[in-house]
């Protein structure tokens, strides 16, 4: 499963057949060491496939994993992903499902705060507070 070609095939299949509800829970089970490979494949998705994946993430319990994968993207890929998230009509529901207790996620979001579009940054900041964080401090949700 660490093979980039295998990940590419899985992600392409999920996108082609809209299998995000089935695929995302599996992605959440993968070790963090796979996130850079997943990040490269996420960057290759079309805008509509990216939105389909993000819409399926809350119900799949995969929002934190999705965010962690985005954080592993290169600067250009991450900028595109953050912009697409910012434009999502269901942004609030997606961010509300980010209830991770992992302080590293909030710290990394804090580190890239300047890269995050304003609407998304505002919603993330409110969620961080609800989870006992301030985009960089410890706490729990």
């Amino acid at each position: 499963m660490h093979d980039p070609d295998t990940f590419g095939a899985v992600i392409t299949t999920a996108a082609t057949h809209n299998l995000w509800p089935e695929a995302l829970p599996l992605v959440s089970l993968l070790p963090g060491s796979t996130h850079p490979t997943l990040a490269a494949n996420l960057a290759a998705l079309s805008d509509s496939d990216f939105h389909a994946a993000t819409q399926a993430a809350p119900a799949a319990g995969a929002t934190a994993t999705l965010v962690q994968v985005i954080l592993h993207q290169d600067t250009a890929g991450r900028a595109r992903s953050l912009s697409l998230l910012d434009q999502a009509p269901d942004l609030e529901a997606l961010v509300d499902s980010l209830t991770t207790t992992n302080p590293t996620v909030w710290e990394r979001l804090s580190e890239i705060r300047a890269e995050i579009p304003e609407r998304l940054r505002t919603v993330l900041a409110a969620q961080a507070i609800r989870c006992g964080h301030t985009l960089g401090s410890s706490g729990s949700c």
Side-chain angles (χ1 to χ4, degrees), residues 26 44 62-63 85 100 114:
L26 299 174
T63 305
L85 286 175
T100 182

Side-chain angles (χ1 to χ4, degrees), residues 60-114:
T63 305
T65 301
L66 178 67
V67 169
Q68 289 171 318
V69 170
I70 289 170
L71 290 170
H72 279 92
Q73 288 183 304
D74 63 24
T75 304
R78 189 172 56 237
R80 175 180 171 259
S81 293
L82 293 171
S83 177
L84 289 170
L85 286 175
D86 188 62
Q87 298 166 15
D90 58 347
L91 176 62
E92 289 79 8
L94 176 65
V95 173
D96 283 349
S97 70
L98 180 60
T99 58
T100 182
T101 58
N102 182 347
T104 304
V105 172
W106 298 108
E107 290 166 6
R108 281 287 293 129
L109 286 168
S110 182
E111 290 170 7
I112 66 159
R113 191 176 174 93

